[in-house]
Amino acid sequence: MSGGSPRLLRTLNERAAMELLIEHGPSTRAELEELTGLSKASVAEVLRRLETADLVHKAGSKPSAAGPPAQLWAIQGTASLVLGIDVTPKAIDVAVADLAGQVRGEARVRTPKKYDAVAVLSGAVAGACTAAGVATGEVDQVVIGMPGVVDPHTGQLTSVLQVPSWSGFHVLNSVQDALGIEHVRIENDVNLVALEELAKGAARGTDTFVLLWIGEGVGAGLVLRGQLWRGATGRGGELSSLIVPDPVSRSRVYDEQGGPLEGILDARALLRLATAHELPARTPVDAVRTGFADPGRYAGFLDDLAARIAVALINVVGMVDPELVVLGGPVGQTGGAGLCELLTQRLAGTLLARTPIVTSAVQGNPVRAGALEFGLSFTRDRILSAGTAGR
């Protein structure tokens, strides 16, 4: 046995115990013994070391039919803090979560069309940290989600058309310097939602799936064999430039030659479609909600909406052949099961008919939730890999 083996085994045992506490929540020593396969003495020693390192703590007791209540152990949330940030064309939304995944503070700042990106972000972060009762310098990991293309090799933004205030400077370095936090990650917003769907949403337990996002624009998050697929340059899932026909009965955008997918599924195109069907709405979400509230009256609008979305699905599902399609974004979630059923009917006569289509199950702000989930995966891995020896 090499000299490093005892330390390695100790770290592996600690990692196993912490992963189980993260997954299952507060647990007794006996439950950890059963789940890890370690002896009573080994689990007791692991918990002692983790408690000394302030990584776990006693969390009350659990009644026992065979004896006195058993001590419960839980992850010490304050051992690490993560910031999840959602940058949109209209606002910056920030949340602080602890190692156990509990959100401790939030802040939201509305933004104009043009602004000092790093300064406004720093203010929003300070607000969330104040709400959480922590200092910004106590945060270990930051993940920023935004509607842009991120180079998978450098982590830098390479395209941010929807949020122009974030272009023209070295975003990663600027944010690190402004916040005084080393671990900062930028990720495409739809990719983060796909990760949240994989961890806690409709795609949990699914190996390969597509998240189709329809909001201000259209995009997709691709998870292949349990891993996010970003592509060689970070453009994996960027569907907006696909050349497609416009298969609607009214307000057709393109002739037979077709055009970019975004031109028939972005917010403006969907509002024009609603107007063509005499459906009053201020936003695409309003249009979809009104349409499904009175499907008999607005059947034409709903059919045309499904026809346009089906064009996107035919392209991405035909290429990826996923186990599941998750329909997300404000439009997708508002359409819900009714829209999924219309799409299923649309694809019934094609080779894609076997692919189930479901609605996103992520509640609240899915981009911010995905950013927190992604950030926790990084900070937990650093802690679990180091073990108590690294503290």
Side-chain angles (χ1 to χ4, degrees):
M1 182 177 290
S2 67
S5 293
R7 175 176 173 175
L8 174 61
L9 290 173
R10 186 178 82 172
T11 300
L12 290 174
N13 289 343
E14 292 169 356
R15 179 173 190 134
M18 290 190 67
E19 285 178 337
L20 290 169
L21 290 174
I22 290 169
E23 180 180 358
H24 297 282
S27 305
T28 66
R29 187 180 65 185
E31 289 169 340
L32 292 174
E33 290 168 18
E34 181 179 355
L35 290 168
T36 62
L38 296 173
S39 68
K40 179 178 180 178
S42 295
V43 171
E45 176 60 16
V46 165
L47 290 173
R48 184 195 67 78
R49 291 197 302 266
L50 292 175
E51 184 181 30
T52 301
D54 203 28
L55 291 172
V56 303
H57 66 102
K58 295 182 178 71
S61 59
K62 182 177 183 179
S64 174
Q71 178 70 59
L72 284 169
W73 294 86
I75 289 292
Q76 180 64 271
T78 55
S80 183
L81 297 169
V82 171
L83 278 171
I85 303 173
D86 176 25
V87 176
T88 73
K90 297 179 180 179
I92 295 177
D93 198 346
V94 185
V96 183
D98 62 24
L99 188 63
Q102 179 180 353
V103 174
R104 302 170 66 91
E106 302 171 294
R108 189 173 191 271
V109 177
R110 294 191 63 83
T111 54
K113 188 172 183 179
K114 192 70 176 177
Y115 60 96
D116 186 328
V118 176
V120 174
L121 177 74
S122 298
V125 166
C129 288
T130 298
V134 301
T136 302
E138 297 178 60
V139 173
D140 297 304
Q141 177 74 52
V142 178
V143 174
I144 306 171
M146 63 175 63
V149 177
V150 181
D151 188 309
H153 306 291
T154 65
Q156 281 298 322
L157 283 166
T158 59
S159 175
V160 282
L161 297 179
Q162 293 187 46
V163 281
S165 293
W166 289 87
S167 64
F169 66 98
H170 198 289
V171 174
L172 202 58
N173 287 0
S174 298
V175 172
Q176 287 173 326
D177 292 342
L179 299 182
I181 299 172
E182 177 185 359
H183 302 294
V184 176
R185 181 77 177 249
I186 305 169
E187 185 57 79
N188 172 265
D189 53 358
V190 180
N191 283 348
L192 291 175
V193 179
L195 290 175
E196 184 68 1
E197 290 290 350
L198 180 65
K200 298 178 180 177
R204 188 171 185 178
T206 303
D207 189 57
T208 297
F209 74 95
V210 171
L211 168 74
L212 182 64
W213 178 273
I214 307 172
E216 290 294 319
V218 59
L222 310 179
V223 173
L224 308 179
R225 297 183 178 179
Q227 299 294 319
L228 189 65
W229 174 254
R230 297 178 178 85
T233 65
R235 298 191 63 83
E238 293 291 320
L239 304 180
S240 59
S241 59
L242 281 175
I243 303 302
V244 298
D246 187 4
V248 297
S249 62
R250 300 185 188 180
S251 188
R252 186 168 292 160
V253 176
Y254 303 131
D255 57 20
E256 291 78 6
Q257 293 182 340
L261 177 64
E262 189 165 31
I264 62 172
L265 276 179
D266 67 8
R268 289 176 296 180
L270 294 183
L271 278 177
R272 286 195 298 268
L273 183 64
T275 299
H277 285 278
E278 300 179 347
L279 190 162
R282 294 195 307 170
T283 68
V285 168
D286 289 340
V288 174
R289 185 181 294 116
T290 302
F292 278 103
D294 193 351
R297 181 179 181 182
Y298 297 116
F301 167 74
L302 296 176
D303 286 343
D304 278 349
L305 173 66
R308 283 182 171 177
I309 297 174
V311 167
L313 288 180
I314 286 169
N315 278 275
V316 67
V317 175
M319 180 174 293
V320 177
D321 190 21
E323 299 172 54
L324 182 72
V325 169
V326 179
L327 200 59
V331 170
Q333 284 193 295
T334 302
L339 184 54
C340 290
E341 178 60 27
L342 286 177
L343 290 169
T344 299
Q345 292 172 10
R346 279 270 167 186
L347 300 180
T350 74
L351 295 175
L352 313 179
R354 295 174 58 186
T355 305
I357 305 171
V358 300
T359 309
S360 168
V362 177
Q363 300 300 312
N365 182 329
V367 176
R368 196 185 74 175
L372 288 175
E373 190 71 36
F374 202 30
L376 284 169
S377 71
F378 288 122
T379 193
R380 284 169 177 169
D381 188 63
R382 285 195 295 271
I383 289 172
L384 296 176
S385 297
T388 57
R391 297 176 72 85

